Amino acid sequence: MKTYHKSELAKLADVSYSTFYRFLKNRRTELNAMGINPNAQTFRGDGLKYICKEYNINLPEEEPEVKKHIKFR
């Protein structure tokens, strides 16, 4: 699963960074219970799923893996 920065999640939620930060601050106990620091700059895994569920954020589809170029000879 891809890692997202707080600023990226705020844009996806269509809110300002400060509003998104207040949202995280209000859910500090839930995030701490999952072992996630609300002051972290990036989120992934269960923390990202929880934030997306609570804030109703639809993440874009994961980018397909780019295949490396194979030498001709």
Side-chain angles (χ1 to χ4, degrees):
M1 178 172 265
K2 183 179 174 186
T3 301
Y4 286 89
H5 288 270
K6 278 194 246 186
S7 58
E8 289 176 304
L9 292 171
K11 286 179 187 177
L12 290 172
D14 201 27
V15 296
S16 69
Y17 181 84
S18 59
T19 300
F20 190 74
Y21 181 78
R22 281 193 304 267
F23 163 79
L24 293 175
K25 188 176 177 182
N26 289 336
R27 287 166 176 76
R28 180 179 303 270
T29 55
E30 292 91 352
L31 292 171
N32 284 335
M34 289 190 287
I36 299 160
N37 183 359
N39 294 330
Q41 291 298 312
T42 58
F43 294 100
R44 65 179 175 174
D46 292 336
L48 180 62
K49 289 178 186 177
Y50 172 77
I51 291 168
C52 290
K53 180 182 171 193
E54 289 294 310
Y55 218 114
N56 199 19
I57 298 173
N58 294 322
L59 296 176
E61 293 295 321
E62 300 250 353
E63 296 177 11
E65 186 176 321
V66 178
K67 293 182 180 179
K68 292 187 176 185
H69 177 71
I70 300 172
K71 290 185 179 181
F72 181 68
R73 294 182 184 203

